Amino acid sequence: MSYIPIIIILILVLAVIIAIYCGVHYIKHKTQEFSRTVFGTENILEGAEKMKQEYATTPKSVSAMTSLLLPKIVTDFPEFQYDEMKERAENVLTQYLRAITENSTGILTDGNMELKQQLENHIQMLSVKDLHEHFDQIKIHRTEINQYRKTAGRCIITFQSALECYHYITDSSSSVKEGSKEYKYQTKYNTDLIYIQDRNLVENELDNALGVNCPNCGAPLASLGAKFCEYCGTPVIEINIHAWSFSNVEEIK
């Protein structure tokens, strides 16, 4: 009986085993090399966890145009109070997200009817899907002016905020369907502040409270940037700041 075929088979099996071992070793080496390069550790699972932690703790960068745009805004509106409006923008954003979390539009105390309708629509959309969206432990890292534009009779200032929180969506059984309760969520939001420059050019304006009248004679002020009433000459500078209103909140991904 010849043992040569058996020996050949054994050699082939051994060759396959060696090839598999070398392949596994090569893949392991390359995986460790990749993990070390990308994550700073040879353990890819440990590296992925480290990356999650870094993402959860690193604030988003905002498009800061304040130094460029604020002088233009102050030129158009000398009474514009940047610090006050920045604080209001952050408060509006926080209230908006808290209102979603607590399923209560009444939490949003600032903003015009457009913004309140946007909030109500968002809450209703979640209700229809039987979902509950959570924004817990909200923290705003930084807020800057991102845009300043004039369109359709409005002057619009967009504040952009870098924000972190625990963000997740649960279903009726409180099971997390999206997001995480364990890792913080880093994101940024735009909050629009509007000023009605010419009411005759504004279309579909929902907030009638933006129509400002002269405090002396009651005449309508078609141009809210005016410093005096064109009918009786009464100064109206002091009411200009109250004509600013927040109208939109939008996440930027």
Side-chain angles (χ1 to χ4, degrees):
M1 180 177 179
S2 176
Y3 292 97
I4 294 178
I6 297 176
I7 293 174
I8 293 176
I9 292 174
L10 291 176
I11 291 174
L12 291 175
V13 170
L14 181 61
V16 170
I17 292 174
I18 293 174
I20 292 174
Y21 174 80
C22 291
V24 170
H25 180 74
Y26 177 79
I27 293 173
K28 181 180 179 181
H29 174 72
K30 286 299 182 181
T31 301
Q32 289 176 339
E33 184 179 346
F34 171 80
S35 180
R36 187 166 52 248
T37 301
V38 175
F39 303 121
T41 175
E42 291 186 353
N43 189 321
I44 195 167
L45 295 178
E46 180 183 324
E49 180 67 20
K50 181 180 178 182
M51 188 173 183
K52 280 185 180 180
Q53 292 288 355
E54 289 182 355
Y55 179 82
T57 56
T58 304
K60 293 283 189 179
S61 60
V62 299
S63 179
M65 301 292 289
T66 304
S67 60
L68 178 64
L69 297 178
L70 185 56
K72 297 180 181 179
I73 296 171
V74 173
T75 297
D76 292 340
F77 303 95
E79 299 77 29
F80 184 82
Q81 300 296 319
Y82 170 69
D83 291 334
E84 175 188 340
M85 290 304 184
K86 176 183 174 182
E87 182 177 357
R88 282 181 62 191
E90 293 181 341
N91 289 338
V92 165
L93 175 56
T94 301
Q95 289 177 6
Y96 187 91
L97 300 181
R98 283 184 51 230
I100 294 174
T101 302
E102 300 183 28
N103 197 30
S104 173
T105 57
I107 292 176
L108 182 63
T109 59
D110 202 348
N112 61 18
M113 290 302 296
E114 291 179 65
L115 182 59
K116 292 174 181 177
Q117 186 64 56
Q118 176 186 341
L119 173 61
E120 185 175 344
N121 291 344
H122 188 93
I123 292 176
Q124 287 180 351
M125 179 270 294
L126 290 169
S127 177
V128 168
K129 296 181 179 181
D130 205 14
L131 298 175
H132 186 186
E133 189 169 11
H134 306 258
F135 297 89
D136 298 337
Q137 298 185 34
I138 298 170
K139 178 180 178 181
I140 296 178
H141 294 287
R142 182 183 180 187
T143 298
E144 297 284 350
I145 294 176
N146 170 247
Q147 288 184 331
Y148 175 50
R149 57 198 188 278
K150 302 176 184 180
T151 178
R154 301 182 184 212
C155 297
I156 306 173
I157 299 173
T158 299
F159 288 93
Q160 189 168 102
S161 300
L163 175 148
E164 76 171 32
C165 63
Y166 288 97
H167 176 236
Y168 53 98
I169 298 176
T170 57
D171 59 17
S172 57
S173 63
S174 297
S175 298
V176 177
K177 308 300 291 183
E178 183 180 330
S180 172
K181 291 183 178 182
E182 300 176 3
Y183 295 97
K184 288 183 177 179
Y185 178 62
Q186 301 288 343
T187 187
K188 55 187 178 182
Y189 277 86
N190 281 354
T191 305
D192 286 345
L193 177 65
I194 69 169
Y195 187 100
I196 305 302
Q197 185 68 18
D198 188 338
R199 290 178 303 145
N200 295 325
L201 296 179
V202 176
E203 298 177 356
N204 300 323
E205 178 56 57
L206 299 178
D207 191 353
N208 294 328
L210 287 174
V212 178
N213 293 63
C214 172
N216 180 50
C217 70
L221 301 175
S223 175
L224 296 184
K227 302 297 184 261
F228 299 90
C229 172
E230 61 183 279
Y231 295 96
C232 69
T234 299
V236 293
I237 295 177
E238 66 274 11
I239 68 173
N240 283 342
I241 195 66
H242 303 294
W244 291 99
S245 179
F246 290 93
S247 67
N248 181 60
V249 170
E250 179 183 7
E251 184 177 13
I252 307 300
K253 294 185 178 181

